[in-house]
Each structure stands twice: as C-alpha cells, then as structure tokens.
C-alpha cells in the first residue's frame, strides 16, 4: 500500500483540523496553521506538478530545501504520485550535491528558492526552486488520485555516509515506512489531543519519518519550528504534549536558566535518539523536570529498531526493547549468536529493514547475513529480557549533534590540501554536540595554517563535518599492519573539546 493512502485514511476525518502550525519568523506572531485539508490539497497539487514534469512511479525526486510546510507537502506529493523521495541535508555543498545527483539520477531536482531552470548540479537535470514549483503547483486543480504502490516499492532513498567515504543510498520501501510508523504510533501511545513540537530537520529519518509519520497518523497538530532554538522550544513547550529530539536538544534545554518542571507541565513524552543520551543528561533532566526521557535506537537503513517502554522502566544508558516484529541479536566475530548480556555486533531483521543500497548490490550483500539479518555496525548486548544496550560502534563513525560524520570523507579532503601529507580524523567528547570532529595531521614541510585548512574544506564539505580542532604530529601511530591506531589518537585527544 502507498504510505500516503494510509495517511489519507486518517486525514479524511480531520480535514479541518490543524496540521502544521508555524510560529512565524518574527517570534511570537503566528501565521494561521495549515489544516489537514490544506496539506492534502497541497500534496495533490505538487503531485500534479511533478507528473507534468515527467515524474512517473519509481522516478527519483531529489530535494534539498529549507524546512517549511510546503516542503512537507512536497514530500507527501512525491509519495502520492509514486515517486521516490531523496532528501538532502541543506548544509551540503555543490560538490556533495553533484555526487547525489549523479548517483540517484533523479527525474527532477528541487532546491531552495524561486529559481526555474537553474543549472543543476553536475550532469543532472536543471534544478527548480521549491517556491517556483509551488507557484506552478497552485495552478493545478488538486487531483485526489493516489498512485497504487506495492509494499516493496521504494518510497525514499536516504543517503548515509560510508566507511569508504562514499555515501550510500538506503532504499526504503512503503512497507518499511508504514510498519515503523504504525509500530511507533502504538507503542508511544499517541492519543487525541497530542501536539508534537517539531524542531528537527526534515531531511533525515528522525525528523521526517519518525516525528511526522506518528503525528500524521494521529492527525495531531504539529508546532513546526524552522530549527532548534532552546528558548523558542521552551516558550512553546506549554502548548505541546510530545517533543522528539537528539540529546543536544535536552542538554541545551537544561542549560536554559531556571528550566524545570513548570516548563513541562503539558508534556507527556520526551523522546531522544540518533546519538547516545548520557546518563548525566537523563538524570539531570529527570531531577529538574520529573520526566524520564524515553530513549530509542534507530538508523537510516532500518528506521526505528528499539525503544524504551512508555509504561515501564526507562533505563538510562539502554535503548530498550525491539519494536514489534523486529528481531535484534548480538553476534561474535564468527557470526555465532552470543548469550544474553554479552557484547557483540548487533544484527537486526524485520519489516523495517531497508531493501539494500541503491546501485550497490555488492555493498548490500556484504552487510546482509544469509538469514536476512543486517549487520548494523553498532556494538551492544541483549539481556535475558531482550533489553538492548549500545556500548560503542564497530564502524568508524562520529556523531556530532545527531549528524553523522564519516572520518574517511574528511580525511580525503584534508589530504588534498597542499602541505598535508596525511591525516586522521576522530571524534572527541563535546559537551554540547556529544562528539566533536578532530583532525590529526602530518605536514609535508611546516604546519599549514588552520585558516588555510578551513578554506580548503569550505569548498567541498558541509560545515558540520569540519574539524574545529587541528593537531600536527610528526607521524601517526600505526599498528604492525600499518593501520592508523585511532584508539590511541582518541585517547590522546580526548580533551580536545572538554579540557
Ligand atoms: C550545526 N553545526 C554543527 C551541527 N549543527 N556542527 C556539528 N554538528 C552538528 N550537528 C554547526 C554549523 O555548521 C555552524 O557552524 C554552527 O554549528 C551553528 O549552526 P546552527 O545551524 O545554528 O546549529 P545549531 O543550532 O547549533 O544546531 C545544532 C543542532 C542541529 C540543533 C543539534 O545540528 C540539529 O538539529 N541536529 C539534529 C540532527 C538530526 O536530526 N539527526 C537525525 C539523523 P559554522 O558557523 O562554522 O557554519 S537520523 C538518525 O540518526 C537515525 C535514523 C536515528 O536514530 O534517528
Ligand atoms: P544514521 O546513519 O544517521 O541513521 O545513524 C544511525 C546510527 O546512529 C546508529 O547506527 C547508531 O550508531 C546511532 N544511534 C541512533 N540512535 C542511537 C541511540 N539512542 N544511542 C546511541 N546511538 C544511536
């Protein structure tokens, strides 16, 4: 079934109810909320405009646009005409976007603004600005049709960085999205009257799928903020019942002077994920507000995998139990399943599991077991009751403020800079972002100025991936095989951001 058909079943009974409410750019003032009828109508118009531009079922629609109600309607419009939605981080540079365009070979590329026929990135189609597409879309009558889709048809391709430095497109089906949305909607107890406070970006699984799908299944009002701002979120908390965020949201709320239980009286659920929630933040938040943050675990390739319980103990430092129909096991290096409590590689299986990496069958095969389990790259354990604890990552990944940074991609850029012989990029503890990116470099001659490095990175790498600390060494520590010992570097530069 097309995910949009499922959503529309709910929307149809709530056409006059508020969907996206947008606190305006001038803080305090409000523009009228979109209703579910507005959202449905706008998505139908976008679908018509996309079809006019040649989009057929299965075609990729690549989208790099700022967060807005129109952007959400565009996403739903792509679903309803059977297209495959390919969202991109707005921070990506032209060089990064050019790669995604060449990899996904989209029928249509939509960027921010009102431009029409602007040069696209690389060899792809010319880009159209979302404002221009919306103007075009409004000239169409909304066509109520929803394209039929099979469960295994693709709904989205979400890019996730790779250990090789090359991004991989995770192919996500209608079944993946539908099963995950329904499971979360049930286990997180969505109920009439719930209002979601939405401050996440909508180009990743967390803000786009987890937050919006659950709220939409409930036809909830969504307080839709352009980005996270602690003071603004705090101001709006009394109008909301649910907040979903990355751990940085919670540590920044705690840093607001006087923040406490009075701010949270209307809230029934705080959810955290995408990066580890420290026991300190969990404990401080409970101490100050009386709320236990509900931590869950997910990844682009599988949506949500586990969650702490809505009713029941939420244990700090654990990510809870597998979602209904999802299986999680910890395995040893030889692939054998480990006894309860022992730490190994986590593998998962279930209706949430993606259909593979776009145009990378070998890469897909490498990460799939014969019995259909997927190797997550996360290290953890499963206790006798089935509760999962993450203890680290087997993959060389840094998570800064909920955004993933793969060291290899940053190292490749640094190594191109004149005067740099080689580099090693690691994550170091960061009070605000969880981890911060650190570069350790070996010079050809004398050290290169930090500013020169920054300027060189600027051209091709989104700024959240940039190291903010640079250290020069005579040589990188290596093991007997010649491999850089990142664990040694992580220890040595542990205090880079928290000295
Ligand atoms: C912004 N900057 C960052 C980050 N965000 N640097 C490192 N890591 C970041 N996450 C940099 C910008 O480049 C800029 O630097 C400066 O910080 C200020 O930018 P601003 O936009 O004002 O940032 P902010 O308000 O401080 O944003 C921090 C944030 C935001 C609120 C934590 O990054 C955020 O909303 N993160 C959520 C990410 C997310 O949704 N992840 C879900 C992935 P300069 O001034 O030098 O340019 S989905 C996933 O992981 C799975 C499926 C799961 O389980 O959910
Ligand atoms: P992404 O590739 O952006 O989907 O990021 C997925 C990765 O984020 C997972 O493989 C985990 O390493 C990490 N992650 C997600 N949720 C949590 C969590 N609650 N605690 C720790 N790590 C998490």
């Amino acid at each position: 079934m097309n995910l949009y058909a499922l959503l529309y079943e709910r929307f149809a009974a709530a056409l006059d109810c508020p969907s996206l409410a947008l606190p305006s750019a001038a803080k305090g003032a409000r523009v009228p909320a979109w209703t579910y009828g507005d959202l449905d109508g706008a998505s139908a118009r976008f679908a018509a405009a996309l079809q006019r531009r040649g989009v057929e079922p299965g075609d990729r629609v690549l989208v790099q646009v700022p967060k807005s109600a129109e952007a959400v309607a565009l996403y739903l419009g792509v679903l309803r005409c059977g297209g495959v939605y390919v969202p991109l981080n707005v921070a990506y540079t032209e060089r990064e976007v050019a790669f995604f365009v060449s990899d996904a070979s989209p029928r249509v590329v939509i960027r921010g603004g009102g431009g029409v026929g602007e040069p696209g990135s690389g060899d792809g189609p010319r880009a159209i600005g979302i404002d221009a597409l919306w103007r075009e879309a409004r000239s169409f009558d909304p066509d109520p049709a929803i394209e039929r889709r099979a469960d295994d048809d693709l709904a989205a391709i979400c890019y996730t960085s790779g250990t090789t430095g090359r991004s991989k497109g995770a192919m996500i089906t209608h079944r993946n999205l539908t099963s995950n949305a329904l499971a979360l909607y049930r286990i997180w107890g969505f109920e009439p009257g719930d209002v979601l406070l939405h401050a996440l970006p909508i180009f990743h699984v967390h803000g786009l799928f987890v937050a919006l799908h659950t709220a939409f299944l409930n036809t909830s009002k969504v307080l839709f903020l352009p980005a996270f701002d602690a003071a603004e979120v705090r101001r709006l908390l009394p109008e909301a019942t649910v907040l979903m965020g990355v751990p940085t949201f919670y540590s920044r709320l705690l840093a607001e002077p006087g923040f406490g239980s009075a701010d949270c009286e209307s809230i029934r659920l705080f959810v955290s994920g995408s990066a580890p929630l420290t026991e300190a933040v969990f404990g401080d938040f409970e101490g100050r507000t009386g709320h236990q943050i509900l931590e869950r675990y997910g990844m682009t390739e599988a949506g949500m995998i586990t969650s702490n319980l809505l009713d029941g103990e939420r244990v700090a430092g654990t990510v809870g139990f597998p979602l209904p129909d999802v299986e999680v096991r910890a395995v040893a290096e030889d692939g054998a399943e480990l006894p309860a409590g022992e730490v190994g590689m986590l593998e998962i299986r279930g209706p949430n599991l993606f259909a593979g990496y776009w145009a990378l069958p070998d890469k897909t095969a490498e990460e799939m077991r014969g019995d259909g389990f997927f190797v997550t790259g996360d290290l953890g354990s499963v206790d006798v009751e089935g509760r999962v604890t993450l203890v680290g990552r087997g993959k060389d990944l840094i998570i800064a403020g909920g955004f993933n940074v793969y060291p290899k991609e940053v190292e490749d850029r640094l190594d191109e800079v004149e005067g740099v012989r080689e580099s090693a990029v690691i994550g170091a503890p960061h009070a605000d972002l969880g981890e911060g990116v650190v570069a350790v470099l070996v010079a050809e001659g004398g050290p290169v100025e930090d500013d020169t490095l920054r300027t060189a990175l600027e051209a091709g790498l989104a700024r959240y991936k940039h190291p903010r600390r640079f250290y020069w060494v005579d040589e990188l520590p290596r093991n007997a095989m010649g491999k850089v010992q990142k664990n040694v570097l992580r220890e040595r530069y542990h205090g880079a951001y928290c000295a």
Side-chain angles (χ1 to χ4, degrees):
M1 179 195 234
N2 189 323
L3 167 66
Y4 190 74
L6 171 70
L7 295 177
Y8 184 73
E9 279 176 10
R10 311 287 176 108
F11 292 5
L15 293 176
D16 294 329
C17 300
S19 57
L20 300 168
L22 311 144
S24 87
K27 284 188 182 151
R30 284 288 172 85
V31 287
W34 283 40
T35 63
Y36 275 96
D38 295 334
L39 195 55
D40 177 63
S43 72
R45 290 188 158 97
F46 269 124
L50 291 168
Q51 281 163 331
R52 177 66 66 88
R53 288 180 165 265
V55 173
E56 290 179 12
D59 282 346
R60 275 79 56 212
V61 178
L62 190 121
V63 178
Q64 187 195 33
V65 300
K67 191 173 171 183
S68 70
E70 288 80 2
V72 176
L74 171 62
Y75 162 57
L76 298 177
V78 173
L79 288 180
R80 78 187 285 163
C81 71
V84 179
Y85 191 71
V86 188
L88 295 185
N89 191 323
V90 288
Y92 290 150
T93 60
E94 288 306 315
R95 189 191 65 86
E96 289 161 300
V97 175
F99 168 78
F100 297 118
V101 170
S102 71
D103 192 60
S105 54
R107 173 77 61 194
V108 176
V109 175
I110 302 157
R111 314 279 299 261
V116 187
E118 289 180 4
S121 264
D123 298 330
R126 289 185 165 263
I128 177 164
I130 184 167
D131 300 343
L133 186 67
W134 179 223
R135 271 198 303 280
E136 201 173 295
R138 270 184 303 189
S139 69
F140 292 101
D141 286 332
D143 172 1
I146 299 171
E147 199 66 41
R148 287 185 73 85
R149 297 274 75 199
D151 285 350
D152 290 331
D153 283 335
L154 298 190
I157 294 178
C158 294
Y159 278 91
T160 152
S161 350
T163 38
T164 56
R166 178 222 195 275
S167 289
K168 303 166 287 183
M171 298 190 287
I172 297 166
T173 66
H174 284 268
R175 186 211 319 270
N176 295 153
L177 295 181
T178 303
S179 65
N180 220 229
L182 287 169
L184 296 172
Y185 167 76
R186 288 194 199 110
I187 66 168
W188 289 345
F190 275 84
E191 57 195 23
D194 266 336
V195 175
L196 174 74
L197 183 47
H198 192 298
L200 287 160
I202 53 166
F203 43 73
H204 278 316
V205 166
H206 195 167
L208 183 64
F209 300 154
V210 180
L212 286 182
H213 292 171
T214 48
F216 286 172
L217 280 174
N218 197 50
T219 55
S220 274
K221 177 165 150 184
V222 179
L223 299 172
F224 204 56
L225 298 184
F228 179 80
D229 173 279
E232 182 69 348
V233 164
R234 182 182 184 186
R235 191 178 72 75
L236 290 168
L237 275 179
E239 296 179 37
T241 66
V242 179
L243 176 71
M244 297 186 196
V246 296
T248 301
F249 283 21
Y250 296 104
S251 55
R252 286 193 187 173
L253 280 171
L254 286 171
E256 286 284 295
F259 175 78
S261 52
D263 294 294
C264 306
E265 276 170 12
S266 65
I267 299 288
R268 69 165 187 85
L269 181 62
F270 287 105
V271 178
S272 175
S274 309
L277 180 72
T278 62
E279 293 187 35
V281 170
F282 179 93
D284 287 353
F285 203 86
E286 184 175 13
R288 292 260 288 280
T289 69
H291 283 272
Q292 289 192 326
I293 299 169
L294 183 151
E295 187 172 12
R296 93 301 180 279
Y297 159 53
M299 62 191 302
T300 302
E301 289 90 335
M304 296 303 99
I305 301 164
T306 71
S307 173
N308 270 281
L309 300 178
L310 183 67
D311 301 309
E313 206 186 352
R314 299 178 194 170
V315 182
T318 81
V319 290
F321 298 92
L323 264 49
D325 302 323
V326 175
E327 298 164 87
V328 179
R329 69 186 182 195
V331 304
E333 281 194 18
D334 62 4
E337 184 162 353
L338 289 164
E342 284 190 29
V343 172
M345 175 60 70
L346 292 180
E347 297 185 348
I348 59 165
R349 183 167 72 178
N352 55 334
L353 191 58
F354 76 142
Y357 295 111
W358 172 255
L360 292 172
D362 294 346
K363 189 77 205 157
T364 307
E366 260 172 48
E367 298 188 13
M368 294 299 267
R369 300 281 181 211
D371 56 2
F373 273 82
F374 170 73
V375 185
T376 62
D378 291 312
L379 302 175
S381 62
V382 185
D383 75 9
V384 266
E385 275 154 8
R387 187 184 284 278
V388 177
T389 302
L390 298 177
V391 299
R393 300 178 203 127
K395 50 193 176 191
D396 196 11
L397 163 69
I398 301 166
I399 305 184
F403 284 148
N404 291 6
V405 181
Y406 269 94
K408 180 74 167 69
E409 190 188 5
V410 186
E411 290 161 3
D412 286 350
R413 298 277 80 74
L414 287 170
D415 293 352
E416 285 168 11
V417 179
E418 211 182 300
V420 174
R421 176 174 302 158
E422 59 173 346
S423 61
V425 168
I426 53 167
H430 189 293
D432 179 42
L433 299 170
E435 286 182 287
V437 183
V438 174
V440 186
L441 303 119
V442 180
E444 285 289 357
V448 181
E449 293 288 326
D450 285 7
D451 276 347
T452 311
L453 291 172
R454 285 199 193 99
T455 313
L457 294 178
E458 199 70 42
L461 204 62
R463 291 183 68 97
Y464 70 88
K465 301 177 187 170
H466 291 201
R468 309 287 159 133
R469 298 281 188 278
F470 299 97
Y471 297 97
W472 293 91
V473 295
D474 291 335
E475 56 183 331
L476 296 172
R478 292 182 188 277
N479 66 14
M481 312 286 288
K483 200 168 174 283
V484 176
Q485 290 170 302
K486 293 236 167 141
N487 53 337
V488 173
L489 293 176
R490 275 192 283 265
E491 234 167 79
R492 197 182 296 165
Y493 299 104
H494 189 264
Y497 289 100
C498 302

